[in-house]
Amino acid sequence: MRIDIITLFPDFIDHCARVGVVGRARERGLLRIQTWNPRDFASDNYRSADDRCYGGGPGMVMMVDPLRKALAKVRAESGSDAGLIYLSPQGRRLDQAKVAELARRDHLILLSGRYEGVDERFLEHAVDEELSIGDYVLSGGELAAAIVIDAVGRLQEGVLNDAQSAEQDSFSHGLLDCPHYTRPEHDVWGDVPAVLTSGDHAAIRRWRLKQSLGRTWLRRPDLLERVELDKNTRALLMQYQHEHAEKTRPDRKSGD
Ligand code: ADE
């Protein structure tokens, strides 16, 4: 997959793309990431790519022409007519289903704007999709672009070592992830649940599903409303709810 990012702060993205899973994917040739600075397409000696807002008000707005030229260069160099995705708090909220959809494309072009914005004429003519990473405002879209690159990059075939680990992610089946443990088995802060050391793989799968259901019910009940549970899965959730009610009963003595 190829991802091009148009940004006034290419160093930020370049750094993010050098480390961790994305960095390894890049080194192994599974992901190609390239940044483009609209300042390199400015028409004056000051490399201006933003200017004051017409009508007054604080902050700078990114200018049409450097962005248009940067985008034309990306399209010419990549030979692709992939749509342009603008990261902004006004966009559609990114979720794992959207990440999975983006991950199936072979080319993404992202635009990170400054918070004050991008000239509306560019948005109207050149942007195909607007995505937000959440209902809060960042000072620029670079962090949002880095999040898209990470979430999409790790889903590329061959990027994660264990092919199953993305399958088991929170949200990949509409549920939150189950708890995970590693050595030591016994610690002053508790023991690893016995089922996980039992070697009984069916029981482990059931326990994990039950924990996922329970966590989703406790922390994100809105997600549960969107998944269809079969009879067995509903029974597991009810078991979890029953155990939880027992554990949190006000008259329950500690150590029971
Ligand atoms: N730029 C500024 N805030 C943002 C957000 N919440 N999502 C995506 N891009 C942004």
Side-chain angles (χ1 to χ4, degrees):
M1 171 182 244
R2 173 177 176 146
I3 308 180
D4 289 277
I5 308 95
I6 301 173
T7 166
L8 288 169
F9 301 102
D11 292 351
F12 182 94
I13 303 285
D14 289 337
H15 175 73
C16 292
R18 264 200 302 273
V19 297
V21 168
V22 169
R24 272 203 312 278
R26 239 179 134 175
E27 279 163 20
R28 289 162 56 204
L30 300 169
L31 206 55
R32 175 170 176 191
I33 293 173
Q34 194 160 341
T35 50
W36 304 85
N37 190 341
R39 293 197 190 288
D40 295 335
F41 301 88
S43 51
D44 64 2
N45 292 335
Y46 303 102
R47 292 168 36 86
S48 306
D50 50 1
D51 208 338
R52 283 176 313 216
C53 193
Y54 273 120
M60 305 285 275
V61 174
M62 289 173 83
M63 298 157 76
V64 174
D65 198 52
L67 288 175
R68 182 168 43 217
K69 288 179 174 147
L71 180 61
K73 177 80 175 165
V74 173
R75 293 235 164 91
E77 213 198 65
S78 62
S80 128
D81 59 357
L84 177 62
I85 301 173
Y86 173 44
L87 283 319
S88 109
Q90 280 117 45
R92 166 193 159 166
R93 181 104 66 91
L94 185 71
D95 58 17
Q96 190 64 25
K98 182 67 189 174
V99 167
E101 189 258 293
L102 295 175
R104 287 193 290 272
R105 303 186 192 178
D106 50 14
H107 186 202
L108 300 179
I109 311 176
L110 307 179
L111 168 63
S112 299
R114 1 179 4 137
Y115 161 54
E116 292 81 8
V118 172
D119 190 303
E120 190 66 20
R121 292 165 293 184
F122 184 79
L123 301 183
E124 277 170 10
H125 284 85
V127 167
D128 298 276
E129 273 183 271
E130 212 164 319
L131 287 181
S132 164
I133 56 159
D135 292 340
Y136 41 82
V137 177
L138 306 167
S139 50
E142 283 70 23
L143 268 169
I147 283 168
V148 171
I149 294 167
D150 188 282
V152 163
R154 64 192 289 285
L155 292 189
Q156 298 305 301
E157 178 110 35
V159 167
L160 294 179
N161 296 334
D162 177 352
Q164 281 190 314
S165 52
E167 258 295 285
Q168 289 172 5
D169 280 344
S170 277
F171 305 116
S172 76
H173 299 289
L175 299 175
L176 300 185
D177 199 6
C178 63
H180 300 279
Y181 298 86
T182 185
R183 288 190 294 179
E185 189 177 336
H186 305 287
D187 185 86
V188 287
W189 282 356
D191 300 331
V192 172
V195 63
L196 296 178
T197 55
S198 67
D200 180 343
H201 295 294
I204 293 172
R205 262 198 310 279
R206 252 193 332 274
W207 180 88
R208 287 185 168 151
L209 177 57
K210 183 162 123 186
Q211 298 301 317
S212 278
L213 289 160
R215 281 195 160 186
T216 311
W217 168 66
L218 284 174
R219 300 179 188 190
R220 291 290 307 275
D222 57 305
L223 293 178
L224 265 189
E225 284 163 24
R226 283 184 249 152
V227 288
E228 270 201 38
L229 306 180
D230 62 23
K231 212 170 113 215
N232 289 339
T233 314
R234 264 203 314 277
L236 269 183
L237 174 58
M238 277 164 67
Q239 227 177 59
Y240 184 98
Q241 289 166 326
H242 177 74
E243 286 163 13
H244 182 262
E246 282 296 305
K247 252 198 305 204
T248 53
R249 222 176 51 209
D251 60 333
R252 178 179 174 269
K253 290 193 214 89
S254 64
D256 275 4

